[in-house]
Amino acid sequence: MTKPFDPKVFRLGYIALECADLERTRDHYVETLGMTEMARGHDGEVYLSLGADHHNIVLRPAAQKALVHQGYQLKPHHTVAEVARDVQALGLKATIKTDSQPGVAELVEVEAPGGVMFQLFNEIAMPCPGWKETGASILRLGHLAVISAEAEKLFQFYTDFLGFAYTDDIAGVARFITCNRDHHVVNVVGLPDNRVHHIAFELKASAFHVSACDALRRAGVDQLWGPARHTAGHNIAGYHYDPNKVMIEFYTEMDVFVPELGIQEPRPWHEINPLKPRSWPLENMNAWGAPFEFNFVTG
Ligand SMILES: [Fe+2]
């Protein structure tokens, strides 16, 4: 009997990144991706909204790029105080912070295995600046892929403590996990490094991949791969680098996880039915059979 799917969190709210070239990176997210600048912090950090939440991306000036933290929204019956206590019982560091950033009155900051920082909160302000019709017109923050030298322990933190479910892997190296109905909200990549691999935004519809690629190209940004359909998740995906050299994925049509059945529903198509969690080979990254021409794991 597998354990019931009942994660403590239900969505990825925001990601904070350190940037060497803050203004150019900010312009990429605002002008080319279509986000809205909401606030500037005391240390020069920029808070960017997709359309509803106070922020979904935070950019902080620094000497070099880094993943600062990932913010998840707790289900209402899990309080910050309770989570802090349970994290400390695991032997991990947890710090409750109040008014540490605009839009989030209270959160618990957790240092997970490998030094990966989480912020877990119950509420984030929703000033709703609206979605832009310019640039790539991104819709929502969907997932992130994190490379960790402590991947096994980090994976266990996501699954055993936060309650994420395993949905697929690629060659055992990249493991996909979810806390909601998306095929994946996180991709834990086990390599001897500690950094963000990519962050992913869902587009409004697959037709927007074309206008998104056009918007990137107008801004002088090349595609790295795609848009094409993946095998794991079957999302239509295209990748590029932001000016901070963080890889960004635009995606649509991702498989929908049905935890009660332990399967993925197609959106709208995949070859194997019913599709249960499986290990996909590295050489089969494109559901349409076309070559996959850059190294997805190390890229
Ligand atoms: Fe992805």
Side-chain angles (χ1 to χ4, degrees), residues 50-113:
L50 280 156
D53 301 312
H54 181 274
H55 52 272
N56 305 102
I57 294 290
V58 183
L59 303 175
R60 184 192 286 178
Q64 58 189 19
K65 72 168 181 178
L67 172 64
V68 181
H69 55 244
Q70 43 193 297
Y72 295 91
Q73 193 158 5
L74 291 159
K75 289 179 180 171
H77 59 285
H78 291 291
T79 65
V80 160
E82 164 218 313
V83 170
R85 190 188 62 228
D86 291 349
V87 166
Q88 285 161 350
L90 289 178
L92 298 173
K93 192 176 168 193
T95 310
I96 293 176
K97 294 186 170 182
T98 52
D99 297 324
S100 64
Q101 62 190 276
V104 183
E106 187 187 39
L107 60 86
V108 55
E109 191 166 79
V110 177
E111 184 173 346

Side-chain angles (χ1 to χ4, degrees), residues 18 29 31 39 57 75 99 142 185 194-195 197 234 282 287:
E18 286 187 337
Y29 285 87
E31 308 299 336
I57 294 290
K75 289 179 180 171
D99 297 324
V185 176
N194 292 294
R195 62 181 175 90
H197 181 276
H234 294 91
L282 261 179

Side-chain angles (χ1 to χ4, degrees), residues 186-254:
V186 175
N187 176 356
V188 180
V189 182
L191 288 171
D193 203 352
N194 292 294
R195 62 181 175 90
V196 62
H197 181 276
H198 69 267
I199 63 177
F201 298 101
E202 188 172 10
L203 301 182
K204 291 170 183 166
S206 288
F208 282 86
H209 281 290
V210 176
S211 50
C213 288
D214 288 343
L216 289 172
R217 187 65 193 163
R218 276 197 301 274
V221 179
D222 290 335
Q223 280 294 109
L224 293 168
W225 183 80
R229 190 180 293 285
H230 273 311
T231 46
H234 294 91
N235 37 320
I236 305 268
Y239 297 84
H240 72 274
Y241 282 125
D242 78 5
N244 196 33
K245 212 76 195 300
V246 168
M247 197 188 292
I248 295 180
E249 174 189 347
F250 292 157
Y251 76 93
T252 54
E253 299 186 6
M254 180 180 278

